[in-house]
Amino acid sequence: AIFAVLIFLSFGQVCAQRNVGQTVRPNAPVALPEEPKIIMDAVLVIDNSGSMDWIGHDQEKNRFEGARIFIDKSEIDDAIALIDFSGNSELILPLTKVTTLHKSTMKSLVSTVRSDRQLTNIDSALRLALQELSSNRANPAHTPVVIFLTDGEIDVVEGTKEQKRLAAKRSEDALFLETIPKYVQSYI
């Protein structure tokens, strides 16, 4: 959502330049032209891997509160989807038009954890978000948005430290060389 701000200017250079030939009152409010309303299709991608419980990551579960605040601040006609991920990714809520009633349901679904809470497959989660924003539920006239709530730990396989490191590197390469360029191509 875009928040409009009124700027109040004192009598001076700026007012005089903008109002040449007009009478300008000191301290008169000058409103900026209204921006067109931006309606968004937003996907909240929430990391529920085990690392989120580690000290210094998100033991307080701030990601859930942040998602709820985002939903509260969304406007009627926006659409929101929810994805839960760890080793696997799951669409908890497909893109759904925001209404007062839907906001309540969306907020209750935010802390729904269906993933296995073990590994962290960021690439899989972002691919699912892109798939949702490319689905027939997305409105091409809306601004596509992805809100990614994670600690950034990539952990895609069980195994030795070396196996984990190599798998994380492959996943990171896929993320930066394949998935993110698809976002750029889609103007997301």
Side-chain angles (χ1 to χ4, degrees):
I2 300 293
F3 297 94
V5 178
L6 290 178
I7 299 176
F8 295 91
L9 300 172
S10 297
F11 184 74
Q13 291 280 346
V14 175
C15 283
Q17 289 172 356
R18 289 189 176 261
N19 297 295
V20 175
Q22 297 177 11
T23 303
V24 178
R25 295 177 309 170
N27 299 320
V30 176
L32 296 175
E34 191 172 314
E35 294 277 332
K37 182 177 178 184
I38 295 176
I39 301 172
M40 67 179 166
D41 283 347
V43 181
L44 296 172
V45 183
I46 304 172
D47 184 346
N48 283 309
S49 63
S51 65
M52 295 301 284
D53 296 334
W54 296 352
I55 294 172
H57 289 239
D58 191 28
Q59 291 177 302
E60 300 81 19
K61 305 199 181 321
N62 292 323
R63 65 194 180 277
F64 299 138
E65 187 57 26
R68 286 186 196 98
I69 290 169
F70 182 86
I71 292 166
D72 274 337
K73 297 293 183 185
S74 65
E75 296 181 1
I76 303 303
D77 295 330
D78 289 335
I80 294 178
L82 300 172
I83 292 176
D84 166 56
F85 84 97
S86 59
N88 59 322
S89 301
E90 187 166 341
L91 184 65
I92 301 291
L93 179 73
L95 278 168
T96 303
K97 187 176 174 181
V98 172
T99 65
T100 305
L101 178 63
H102 288 155
K103 278 187 179 188
S104 177
T105 302
M106 290 172 180
K107 290 191 304 185
S108 69
L109 288 172
V110 159
S111 53
T112 299
V113 178
R114 294 188 183 155
S115 58
D116 58 22
R117 299 235 50 232
Q118 296 189 14
L119 302 173
T120 312
N121 192 338
I122 291 172
D123 186 56
S124 166
L126 287 175
R127 284 178 189 263
L128 183 57
L130 184 59
Q131 182 180 331
E132 184 61 16
L133 288 171
S134 302
S135 74
N136 61 358
R137 292 180 290 273
N139 185 331
H142 292 182
T143 301
V145 176
V146 173
I147 307 295
F148 198 61
L149 302 162
T150 183
D151 60 6
E153 292 285 334
I154 297 176
D155 186 11
V156 291
V157 299
E158 295 293 342
T160 67
K161 282 187 177 183
E162 183 62 13
Q163 290 169 325
K164 286 179 162 294
R165 187 188 67 74
L166 289 172
K169 175 72 172 121
R170 281 191 303 275
S171 181
E172 188 177 288
D173 287 349
L175 178 66
F176 288 107
L177 298 174
E178 297 171 24
T179 306
I180 291 179
K182 287 179 184 175
Y183 273 81
V184 173
Q185 290 169 346
S186 300
Y187 301 100
I188 299 174

